[in-house]
Amino acid sequence: MHPNPAFRTEPTALNLQFARERGFGTLSIADNGTPRLAHVPFCLSEDGTTADLHLLRSNPISRAMVAEAPAVLAVTGPDSFVSPDWYGVDDQVPTWNYVAVHLTGRLVPLPDTALRDSLERLSATFEDRLRPKQPWTLDKLPADTLARMMRTLRPFRLVIDRVDGTWKLNQNKPEAARMAAADHIDAYGIGQDTALLAGLVRSAGD
């Protein structure tokens, strides 16, 4: 998380909403001093206290997990390089605007009996956004295919103890400079979801 408090003023509810809508992040644990990372979809509980996910049994995190362990799930959003020339203000330097939320807590292995329910809730979370398409379900898989897949996966739950968010949107710049940066991010941004980021930069002073 960025140390500047100007970028860390959003309420927990907004950070959780952002994480829930993204539904994809980078899971990290320490395994005997070695960092382990996995990129995972997840399903955040309604109250934001847990996130359910699954890993391949062959994943290094899965192999390392014999009991619960401290973990962080980093959820990143739109981002873009910002040129100092865009502000129209002297004495500026290049930077990067971005949104990121960290869910910190304990990663807990779940029993294999929890896997199917976890997979069904995860797929339903995103399939429901595709309506009026008929949602895909596990029942559409042949039984032998489903059984093979289930044998390769382990269910986990992140019990969330802390939620931190960075919304670095030029809040520390004069309004005119921030709006100018937003226009240039919209037109020339280098990053991901730059149009979305530009909108967030424009509204950062509201």
Side-chain angles (χ1 to χ4, degrees), residues 122-135:
L122 182 63
S123 62
T125 295
F126 300 104
E127 286 286 335
D128 284 349
R129 300 184 191 180
L130 302 178
R131 292 184 183 276
K133 170 189 173 297
Q134 186 68 25

Side-chain angles (χ1 to χ4, degrees), residues 88-105:
V89 179
D90 292 336
D91 300 324
Q92 299 297 307
V93 296
T95 191
W96 210 280
N97 281 356
Y98 64 94
V99 177
V101 169
H102 290 180
L103 307 176
T104 303

Side-chain angles (χ1 to χ4, degrees), residues 1-2 4-19 21 77-78 96-101 164-172 196-197 200-201 203-204:
M1 294 287 97
H2 199 287
N4 189 334
F7 306 139
R8 302 181 62 179
T9 62
E10 301 298 348
T12 297
L14 183 61
N15 288 323
L16 288 172
Q17 178 185 342
F18 168 81
E21 290 178 355
W96 210 280
N97 281 356
Y98 64 94
V99 177
V101 169
D164 299 297
T166 290
W167 299 65
K168 188 172 179 294
L169 305 170
N170 291 136
Q171 299 97 319
N172 58 337
L196 173 59
L197 182 70
L200 291 173
V201 172
S203 63

